[in-house]
Amino acid sequence: MNAPSAAIRSLLGPGPPLGLDSQHGWLDDEQLLAHYAYPPNGAFRLNFVASVDGAAMGGDGRSGSLGTAADHRVFELLRRLADLVLVGAGTLRDEGYVGLRVSESSVAWREARGRPAHPTLGIVSSRLALDPKHEMFADAPVPPIVVTPVSDPDRLAPFREVATVLTVPEHPERPGTLDVTELRAMLHDLGHSEVLCEGGPSLFGEINAQGAFDELCLTVSPAIVGGGGGRIAHSETLAQHPLALAGVLECDDTLLLHYRRSAGLS
């Protein structure tokens, strides 16, 4: 039997043993959703793709070019599960984000469970370097959330017309950077406990520096990039956090790794 498009199988974690079911271990969407299900109290989850040699960007300077069919399939399912998708303003510009919409099947799945049709888009901008007239605001099916330490009422006023604005204090020991733990608390108060952060590397680096995440979903793309491409987390601060491997999926030479913090924060 030929494998369907983006046929994903489990090497470690939930799912049928390889070769023992009628579909040779291929996981359907419900099995993949179970594999990536959030814990009962929610979690702050990071998701990224990297090359085998650790590059966060492909040959064209964008992370999207490292994506594979399997990565795209899981990317959609991770969004299906999330309350809120958090993205740095730089990544939003570089990767061409517009209004955040999930697929029709994801909409049906979410609405059947009493959830909003689409997750909310959260945009992190430490300098508020955004255009309130950008199509990502006009095209959004749910008003986005703008996250910034900027508190100037005049600068914030245009954004309050198109989004919810969260003024998050700076980290007490890291001037110029958001306090991510405080951000998590503020998002939770708004009902967003299942958060998916899609980068980019600078935002990931700051989250890692503050130790303010619970999970990492990492796609290892079957490619070597070389060059001077950065890693998925970029920061001047070294901060090492132990991870526990929760699952490994495979599809056409792509590996999809799921890690949890050994001591989660949720």
Side-chain angles (χ1 to χ4, degrees):
M1 179 180 180
N2 293 327
S5 176
I8 297 174
R9 56 182 182 170
S10 175
L11 302 183
L12 174 68
L18 290 182
L20 296 185
D21 76 325
S22 60
Q23 293 188 331
H24 305 276
W26 299 325
L27 305 180
D28 61 25
D29 282 355
E30 289 304 319
Q31 289 170 316
L32 287 170
L33 291 167
H35 179 90
Y36 288 110
Y38 281 88
N41 293 329
F44 196 98
R45 173 179 286 170
L46 311 179
N47 181 48
F48 218 102
V49 60
S51 66
V52 170
D53 59 330
M57 305 295 174
D60 63 354
R62 300 173 66 244
S63 64
S65 61
L66 291 174
T68 64
D71 180 60
H72 295 158
R73 181 181 174 193
V74 168
F75 184 86
E76 170 67 23
L77 294 178
L78 291 178
R79 284 185 166 187
R80 180 183 296 188
L81 289 165
D83 294 327
L84 179 134
V85 175
L86 192 68
V87 185
T91 294
L92 186 144
R93 290 189 293 268
D94 294 343
E95 300 293 333
Y97 279 67
V98 286
L100 178 63
R101 282 181 168 82
V102 293
S103 67
E104 291 183 4
S105 58
S106 289
V107 168
W109 186 93
R110 291 170 63 87
E111 290 183 336
R113 288 156 181 79
R115 305 183 68 169
H118 303 276
T120 301
L121 175 65
I123 308 162
V124 179
S125 181
S126 59
R127 298 181 307 234
L128 203 58
L130 294 168
D131 181 358
K133 296 181 181 179
H134 192 282
E135 63 179 311
M136 65 185 168
F137 293 108
D139 189 49
V142 181
I145 296 175
V146 172
V147 177
T148 181
V150 175
S151 57
D152 183 342
D154 291 335
R155 292 187 63 193
L156 293 175
F159 293 96
R160 295 192 187 280
E161 296 179 4
V162 294
T164 298
V165 175
L166 286 185
T167 301
V168 180
E170 293 185 353
H171 190 279
E173 299 176 1
R174 302 180 62 79
T177 63
L178 292 169
D179 187 326
V180 184
T181 299
E182 183 65 24
L183 169 60
R184 290 184 56 157
M186 294 172 75
L187 291 174
H188 189 274
D189 288 344
L190 291 176
H192 301 301
S193 60
E194 297 174 339
V195 177
L196 175 66
C197 182
E198 296 180 349
S202 294
L203 179 56
F204 272 19
E206 189 54 43
I207 292 169
N208 180 69
Q210 297 184 33
F213 71 97
D214 299 304
E215 299 185 5
L216 169 64
C217 296
L218 176 65
T219 298
V220 181
S221 183
I224 293 180
V225 176
R231 297 180 295 173
I232 66 169
H234 173 75
S235 173
E236 296 180 359
T237 301
L238 292 176
Q240 182 172 326
H241 303 288
L243 303 175
L245 188 61
V248 180
L249 306 178
E250 184 273 336
C251 172
D252 294 333
D253 303 316
T254 296
L255 290 177
L256 301 119
L257 310 177
H258 183 194
Y259 291 97
R260 293 193 177 99
R261 284 279 298 278
S262 295
L265 300 179
S266 295

